């Protein structure tokens, strides 16, 4: 149980375009979801936390206008990278809170901006 | 600043060798500690976690970890590794985040390669 499905797994986009990444909870209601960014040979960096029906809370240094997060339902959270640039190329991972202090993760999205 | 340090970035072991991966954290409050594994091309999976009680925690696939509060450590161990243990291993601490809740703060990960 507690499966999170993340799509797409890979995406290549042109510089200046926007890309949407979806994260769905398949068999549970995800009240709180998290978006991480993983750089090569680096840790997962928490970008933002979203609660269903409210605005996302962004970590320090993360541009909220570039990384738009929508958590409109208990089973879907989306991350839109707007006006993408090559430096936005990275591995993005979503996660959902499960129970008390439990987490489940999506399989990640490899974004390449050319 | 709160941080999680994993000392070994790359580890290469032969099958049947013993494994110990170091993890230290800097956080003064009550901590919840986790070890996750990421097999190539797959999502993060929970190996084990510590919330309270017995500081020696047993997880899946023969892994265990020991919480030593005085050393702020939570090292991962396995007595005999297998080729299938080749993966990336992440230590994480549950800490308060900007959302007035909790989120995982990860170490940089340790890449383990087990050779036949």
């Amino acid at each position: 149980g507690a499966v999170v499905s993340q799509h797409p797994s890979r995406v290549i986009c042109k510089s200046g375009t926007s890309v949407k990444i979806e994260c769905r909870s398949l068999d549970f209601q995800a009240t709180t979801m998290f978006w991480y960014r993983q750089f090569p040979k680096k840790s997962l960096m928490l970008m933002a936390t979203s609660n269903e029906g409210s605005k996302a809370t962004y970590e320090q240094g993360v541009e909220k206008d570039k990384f738009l997060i929508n958590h409109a339902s208990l089973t879907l959270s989306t991350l839109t990278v707007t006006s993408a640039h090559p430096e936005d190329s990275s591995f993005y991972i979503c996660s959902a809170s499960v129970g008390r202090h439990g987490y489940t993760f999506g399989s990640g999205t490899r974004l390449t901006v050319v | 600043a709160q941080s999680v340090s994993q000392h070994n970035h790359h580890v290469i072991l032969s099958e049947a060798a013993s494994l110990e991966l170091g993890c230290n954290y800097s956080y003064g409050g009550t901590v919840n500690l986790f070890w996750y594994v990421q097999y190539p091309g797959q999502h993060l999976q929970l190996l084990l976690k510590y919330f309270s009680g017995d500081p020696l925690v047993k997880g899946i696939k023969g892994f265990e970890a020991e919480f030593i509060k005085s050393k702020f450590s939570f090292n991962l161990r396995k007595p005999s590794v297998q080729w299938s243990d080749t993966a990336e291993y992440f230590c994480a601490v549950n800490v308060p985040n900007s959302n007035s809740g909790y989120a995982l703060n990860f170490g940089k990960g340790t890449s383990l390669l087990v050779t036949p």
Side-chain angles (χ1 to χ4, degrees):
Chain A
V3 175
V4 168
S5 176
Q6 185 173 345
H7 293 281
S9 57
R10 292 177 182 270
V11 59
I12 300 173
C13 71
K14 290 185 177 180
S15 187
T17 63
S18 296
V19 173
K20 179 184 284 188
I21 302 170
E22 290 190 348
C23 186
R24 293 181 184 274
S25 58
L26 299 185
D27 50 3
F28 69 104
Q29 293 182 328
T31 306
T32 303
M33 298 186 97
F34 308 88
W35 287 94
Y36 290 86
R37 182 172 179 177
Q38 186 177 27
F39 295 93
K41 302 187 188 302
K42 296 283 187 182
S43 173
L44 283 78
M45 181 194 78
L46 179 65
M47 299 174 65
T49 303
S50 69
N51 291 317
E52 182 267 337
S54 60
K55 289 184 178 180
T57 304
Y58 291 80
E59 296 300 307
Q60 193 172 12
V62 178
E63 298 176 61
K64 58 181 67 178
D65 294 331
K66 165 163 278 294
F67 299 102
L68 299 180
I69 291 171
N70 184 286
H71 193 170
S73 78
L74 286 170
T75 58
L76 176 64
S77 178
T78 60
L79 167 66
T80 301
V81 183
T82 62
S83 187
H85 291 283
E87 56 266 29
D88 299 325
S89 298
S90 193
F91 194 62
Y92 295 88
I93 302 174
C94 68
S95 172
S97 178
V98 180
R100 184 169 175 267
H101 298 310
Y103 304 90
T104 186
F105 291 83
S107 53
T109 297
R110 172 75 59 194
L111 170 63
T112 303
V113 185
V114 298
Chain B
Q2 300 158 5
S3 66
V4 180
S5 298
Q6 292 182 239
H7 317 297
N8 319 99
H9 298 297
H10 296 280
V11 174
I12 301 175
L13 294 173
S14 298
E15 276 194 316
S18 63
L19 169 72
E20 180 160 3
L21 301 182
C23 174
N24 287 89
Y25 62 92
S26 63
Y27 181 64
T30 301
V31 289
N32 299 314
L33 298 156
F34 304 76
W35 274 98
Y36 284 89
V37 61
Q38 188 176 30
Y39 298 104
Q42 296 188 26
H43 61 274
L44 284 162
Q45 298 175 37
L46 180 67
L47 274 179
L48 47 78
K49 60 187 176 185
Y50 171 81
F51 286 178
S52 63
D54 189 344
L56 184 61
V57 181
K58 294 194 183 297
I60 61 171
K61 306 187 181 188
F63 286 91
E64 65 178 30
E66 185 175 12
F67 169 56
I68 303 179
K69 188 174 181 179
S70 61
K71 295 185 178 180
F72 296 86
S73 70
F74 190 54
N75 292 353
L76 181 71
R77 299 194 292 248
K78 185 171 184 178
S80 176
V81 294
Q82 301 173 317
W83 175 80
S84 57
D85 292 324
T86 293
E88 193 84 17
Y89 292 81
F90 293 93
C91 181
V93 178
N94 209 18
V95 296
N97 72 342
S98 303
N99 196 47
S100 301
Y102 284 82
L104 290 176
N105 188 11
F106 286 88
K108 291 186 177 181
T110 297
S111 179
L112 172 65
L113 174 63
V114 180
T115 60

